[in-house]
Amino acid sequence: ALLRKPMRFAGAEQLGWIQTTGGTSPYSHTSLPDYLDLARDNRTFEAVIAEARVPLSLAVDGPAEQVWSLVVSSNYLDAMRAKPIAGRTISVADGRSSDPVVVVGERFWKDRLTGGESIAGRTLSLNGNLFSIVGVLPEGFQGPGGLYEPDLWLPLETLPLLRLSPALTDRQTPWLSVAGRMKVGVTVAQAQSDLRGIMEQLAQAHPTT
């Protein structure tokens, strides 16, 4: 069924997974530093994006409970052409801002936060820090994988506020799923050659990882 189901994204023919092989991850995940290098140095992609599923502690009018989120690169939702039903998506500027933000799913917005017409002033306490709700994504939006619909989306740059393992910032810790949207006119072969060249340089600069 998955093979026959077309991707529901605009320009899906430009989208593809970028998997890192030869490392320690059985899932071909990529470390945060390697992802940042790929995103910065490539010449064939309109956007290189990253995501990772992370459980977070949510406090709302009572004892804390666990919610599932995706921490994503700040260009992720724009690259996926996500259309919020309220507010906006995460932007690159959010990744550089000192005010942490979160985007919530429609089901979570209605069932857990009682919905409402306005998100103005609404916040969530996640792992002990307040995040401002800036947008609501429609039910059914799952990202490029198409298998998992999180409650929350947070910028990857907020990792320090989430108090997760410091190892997640190390080059020897692969944990991110990475995808890319190729520039118009670029072939898969050209993109592959571009990425291989970057990884060969990284292998020389960081032979142990």
Side-chain angles (χ1 to χ4, degrees):
L2 289 173
L3 291 174
R4 295 188 180 97
K5 184 179 179 181
M7 296 182 73
R8 296 173 294 166
F9 303 109
E13 64 277 4
Q14 269 84 48
L15 290 170
W17 291 109
I18 299 172
Q19 298 179 316
T20 302
T21 59
T24 59
S25 171
Y27 307 106
S28 299
H29 285 162
T30 303
S31 72
L32 177 58
D34 282 350
Y35 158 69
L36 294 175
D37 287 333
L38 287 171
R40 181 193 65 221
D41 296 339
N42 82 86
R43 297 294 181 266
T44 52
F45 288 85
E46 174 186 317
V48 176
I49 60 176
E51 66 173 23
R53 185 179 179 184
V54 175
L56 299 176
S57 174
L58 169 69
V60 179
D61 301 327
E65 54 187 308
Q66 180 175 279
V67 293
W68 284 100
S69 71
L70 276 184
V71 291
V72 298
S73 54
S74 54
N75 62 344
Y76 178 94
L77 293 175
D78 282 346
M80 291 295 99
R81 310 295 195 253
K83 304 295 184 184
I85 60 173
R88 62 176 178 84
T89 61
I90 296 167
S91 69
V92 174
D94 290 320
R96 298 190 291 261
S97 173
S98 59
D99 299 319
V101 302
V102 60
V103 169
V104 303
E106 182 179 10
R107 186 184 308 167
F108 181 86
W109 173 248
K110 292 178 177 178
D111 295 347
R112 305 285 287 278
L113 302 179
T114 68
E117 295 183 359
S118 174
I119 61 175
R122 301 288 294 270
T123 60
L124 291 178
S125 177
L126 301 169
N127 284 18
N129 281 284
L130 282 180
F131 288 73
S132 297
I133 300 174
V134 296
V136 181
L137 288 179
E139 184 172 349
F141 179 82
Q142 299 173 325
L147 296 175
Y148 171 63
E149 185 174 346
D151 295 317
L152 313 172
W153 288 262
L154 302 98
L156 190 58
E157 290 84 357
T158 59
L159 276 179
L161 295 178
L162 298 177
R163 303 171 183 173
L164 302 177
S165 170
L168 296 181
T169 62
D170 294 340
R171 198 173 292 271
Q172 62 265 32
T173 305
W175 63 290
L176 293 171
S177 296
V178 176
R181 181 181 286 278
M182 294 183 297
K183 295 177 180 178
V184 175
V186 169
T187 67
V188 173
Q190 289 171 330
Q192 180 77 6
S193 176
D194 185 20
L195 296 173
R196 283 191 183 279
I198 297 170
M199 293 307 291
E200 287 171 0
Q201 293 176 6
L202 291 178
Q204 293 177 8
H206 310 282
T208 61
T209 56

